[in-house]
Amino acid sequence: MNARTKIIAGNWKMNKTVAEARSLVCELQGRLATFSGCDVVLCPPFTALASVAKLLESTPRIQLGAQNLHPAPKGAFTGEISASMLSDVGCRFVIVGHSERRRYFGETDAFLRDKLLAAVSAGLHPIFCVGEELADREAGRWPDHLRSQLQAVLHDLPPSILMEVVLAYEPVWAIGTGRTATPEQAQEAHAFLRQELERLHGNSVATGLRLQYGGSVTPENAREILAQPDVDGLLVGGASLEAGSFASIVLSVE
Ligand code: PGA
């Protein structure tokens, strides 16, 4: 199996009021009206999900994602949102394990594994993020770090669950810093992740899963990163907040 349709996702983080979200979506729909070259996912904040979902009804090729979820199906978890609530509002994707969640909210591998399983049970595709800190990159320890993040969350999951996942390689030193991984660094890390997936889960998972790169992606660097053989898409933060830059990243998919 090698039908890895490219997938470009925009992670808006804690940005955009409902009105701002609506105007960004409308402008994107205009700019991407005739484009069908890849999957596009928008991940607005929770408060804008419902109104963005409504707008996306007219362009089903642009799909909705959330930035976070709680693993429990429901209950006394003040301030949290469950997987089924996300799918109820129209989400198809949800980001799990972003480095900002790991760093600022202390999310552990065990908690992320529960989130990933809850997402898949509710019919969502988790965009599961892994990536090393600068110190690990500089000391050459990035492969060990990626291996342990992968193993801790995915180790004994069956292919039926794994094939729902999009894996995002987001080196922490590249997120929001303007310091993008070079296309060679991105390819090397993606090839390593695929090799680890093959070792842990076999060839069909390794060759079938889509791997995204994230970290200071811009319209200027998107094309070259996407040209790498093991890069199947991009997870875009800052540059997804403006229609012109996000559309031009999407349009750089060949
Ligand atoms: P950035 O963020 O594109 O602003 O670096 C990427 C991300 O955090 O997903």
Side-chain angles (χ1 to χ4, degrees):
M1 167 163 57
N2 201 359
R4 301 196 309 250
T5 307
K6 296 268 193 297
I7 175 166
I8 311 291
N11 173 11
W12 297 3
K13 307 192 181 183
M14 197 170 71
N15 293 289
K16 306 288 180 192
T17 61
V18 171
E20 290 165 348
R22 291 175 59 86
S23 95
L24 175 52
V25 171
C26 291
E27 198 180 335
L28 273 175
Q29 287 175 314
R31 287 176 184 261
L32 299 176
T34 57
F35 179 75
S36 60
C38 70
D39 292 337
V40 178
V41 181
L42 304 180
C43 302
F46 288 136
T47 46
L49 286 174
S51 41
V52 170
K54 189 90 198 124
L55 289 173
L56 294 184
E57 279 170 9
S58 62
T59 48
R61 294 210 49 270
I62 306 180
Q63 298 184 338
L64 188 64
Q67 300 172 21
N68 188 28
L69 77 161
H70 190 278
K74 62 176 168 176
F77 297 99
T78 301
E80 295 295 321
I81 307 275
S82 73
S84 60
M85 290 169 173
L86 296 178
S87 77
D88 178 54
V89 82
C91 290
R92 301 279 318 281
F93 292 82
V94 60
I95 300 172
V96 172
H98 191 281
S99 61
E100 288 152 14
R101 300 292 320 171
R102 295 177 190 259
R103 179 190 282 179
Y104 303 136
F105 302 94
E107 297 193 355
T108 61
D109 290 326
F111 192 51
L112 296 177
R113 182 179 160 90
D114 289 347
K115 288 187 182 212
L116 186 139
L117 292 172
V120 174
S121 314
L124 298 169
H125 300 286
I127 299 178
F128 174 55
C129 305
V130 296
E132 80 284 356
E133 303 274 344
L134 185 59
D136 288 319
R137 167 59 57 175
E138 288 179 341
R141 288 189 303 261
W142 62 268
D144 304 326
H145 186 82
L146 295 183
R147 179 183 293 121
S148 87
Q149 282 185 323
L150 266 195
Q151 272 184 1
V153 174
L154 304 183
H155 59 94
D156 58 354
L157 300 182
S160 58
I161 291 182
L162 290 163
M163 293 310 293
E164 301 303 316
V165 174
V166 175
L167 183 61
Y169 170 60
E170 293 213 310
V172 179
W173 47 270
I175 296 177
T177 60
R179 182 177 167 185
T180 327
T182 63
E184 295 73 26
Q185 285 173 322
Q187 169 55 26
E188 190 183 24
H190 283 228
F192 174 78
L193 288 169
R194 234 182 262 291
Q195 181 189 308
E196 282 300 296
L197 288 169
E198 168 139 27
R199 195 174 61 77
L200 291 171
H201 303 290
N203 184 265
S204 63
V205 168
T207 55
L209 225 67
R210 292 189 288 182
L211 267 53
Q212 288 179 315
Y213 168 81
S216 295
V217 172
T218 63
E220 289 70 40
N221 60 31
R223 189 177 298 272
E224 219 188 329
I225 298 173
L226 278 171
Q228 304 306 309
D230 285 302
V231 176
D232 308 310
L234 301 167
L235 181 52
V236 185
S240 71
L241 295 175
E242 201 267 310
S245 56
F246 189 63
S248 108
I249 290 170
V250 171
L251 294 170
S252 62
V253 173
E254 312 262 293

